[in-house]
Amino acid sequence: MRYVRIITFVMIPFVLLSLAGCGSGSSSSNNAFGTNGGGSSTGSGGTNSGGGVIMFTDTASATPGSQINLLAPASKDVNPAIAPAWVFEQLIPFKLTDANGNARAGVPVTLSVYSIDGDPTGVTIDFLVPPITEPNQQTVTTDSAGQGIFNAAIILTTPPPLALNVESIVFKAVTNDTVPVVAYVGNTYTLTSTASTLTITPAAASFGTATDLTFTVAGGSPPYSVSSNNTSRVTATLQADGHTIIAHLVDATAWTGAVSISAIDSLNQSATATVTR
């Protein structure tokens, strides 16, 4: 899994990854995203002996060689403090025809992951839900129009704050024919990690008769470090929970003015609260 740190505003073009499938039979010709293989048919909607084309489309009238409604790049901005991972729900509609362009009904077509660009660590792809259990693939039988639809969940681990997790994933669809029809479709999935604003609450407090005041630091990107701008009057200590700050009164005299309690996160964001006597 590759992380790209964001320093300034960056525009990344997403390119749909597509591969031409390969098939064989008595006669064949290749087209983008599908395979023309040998086969025969008794007529439109009739019984087919195999071969043909898998097209990634949700249009029943689509003709072999055409591709409609291909997968589009998917992206999401997430706060790592809230979402340690994100699920991209992907629908992949398709149509299966024979070599003559007739719909092939009642044919099982199996989808699996063909490749993941880069290190797949941190990427999980889940097919289907119980009671059907096919963890590494999904099989759909075409309807009377020769169509079907796959559903997959692509789960990406959230990268460190202000970084990108970009994965290009290619799916492979295969029929159950003796000489299978094979086709590929792909998508680029991008998870951008954001950083929320660092805060300290309350923003101000007064000791009065108390010798310790409690503040809470939140947001930003932990871990935090804390400090006081006048330790001879007030010290600041971050507690073991990583979010609670104890401001301790060192100088108990009736001093005037204010002491600043500051917190800094791992992205060098800062927040300040004031304490008075």
Side-chain angles (χ1 to χ4, degrees):
M1 181 165 58
R2 299 165 300 147
Y3 295 146
V4 180
R5 177 68 65 179
I6 300 175
I7 299 177
T8 58
F9 292 102
V10 177
M11 181 174 294
I12 301 176
F14 296 104
V15 179
L16 178 65
L17 178 60
S18 61
L19 300 177
C22 297
S24 60
S26 58
S27 63
S28 65
S29 60
N30 292 330
N31 63 82
F33 292 91
T35 298
N36 288 333
S40 62
S41 171
T42 60
S44 178
T47 302
N48 302 279
S49 63
V53 180
I54 296 174
M55 298 178 291
F56 294 100
T57 173
D58 58 5
T59 303
S61 61
T63 58
S66 68
Q67 295 296 325
I68 303 173
N69 294 349
L70 296 178
L71 304 186
S75 63
K76 182 68 178 179
D77 294 344
V78 298
N79 184 337
I82 299 175
W86 187 261
V87 180
F88 291 93
E89 297 181 348
Q90 182 69 73
L91 297 178
I92 307 176
F94 70 94
K95 178 183 178 183
L96 175 64
T97 69
D98 63 15
N100 299 317
N102 300 308
R104 293 186 60 192
V107 179
V109 180
T110 299
L111 185 77
S112 60
V113 176
Y114 179 75
S115 68
I116 299 177
D117 181 33
D119 186 356
T121 302
V123 180
T124 302
I125 300 177
D126 189 22
F127 294 109
L128 293 184
V129 294
I132 302 173
T133 303
E134 293 180 290
N136 300 314
Q137 63 184 33
Q138 181 181 136
T139 300
V140 173
T141 300
T142 57
D143 61 17
S144 59
Q147 292 184 272
I149 186 166
F150 299 111
N151 63 314
I154 295 87
I155 306 170
L156 266 59
T157 299
T158 303
L162 301 184
L164 298 177
N165 183 3
V166 183
E167 300 291 344
S168 293
I169 300 173
V170 177
F171 299 94
K172 179 181 180 180
V174 182
T175 65
N176 68 339
D177 301 316
T178 302
V179 179
V181 179
V182 182
Y184 303 86
V185 70
N187 197 354
T188 300
Y189 302 87
T190 302
L191 203 57
T192 302
S193 182
T194 62
S196 58
T197 302
L198 184 68
T199 62
I200 295 180
T201 54
S206 180
F207 281 107
T209 58
T211 57
D212 287 323
L213 296 174
T214 300
F215 296 85
T216 301
V217 57
S221 176
Y224 311 112
S225 61
V226 299
S227 63
S228 165
N229 72 336
N230 191 337
T231 56
S232 65
R233 288 184 171 181
V234 179
T235 58
T237 305
L238 184 66
Q239 301 303 289
D241 63 6
H243 291 273
T244 302
I245 302 172
I246 299 297
H248 177 68
L249 180 64
V250 177
D251 182 358
T253 65
W255 46 268
T256 59
V259 175
S260 295
I261 302 299
S262 299
I264 299 177
D265 68 2
S266 63
L267 298 175
N268 208 35
Q269 295 186 103
S270 62
T272 301
T274 59
V275 293
T276 57
R277 184 75 176 93

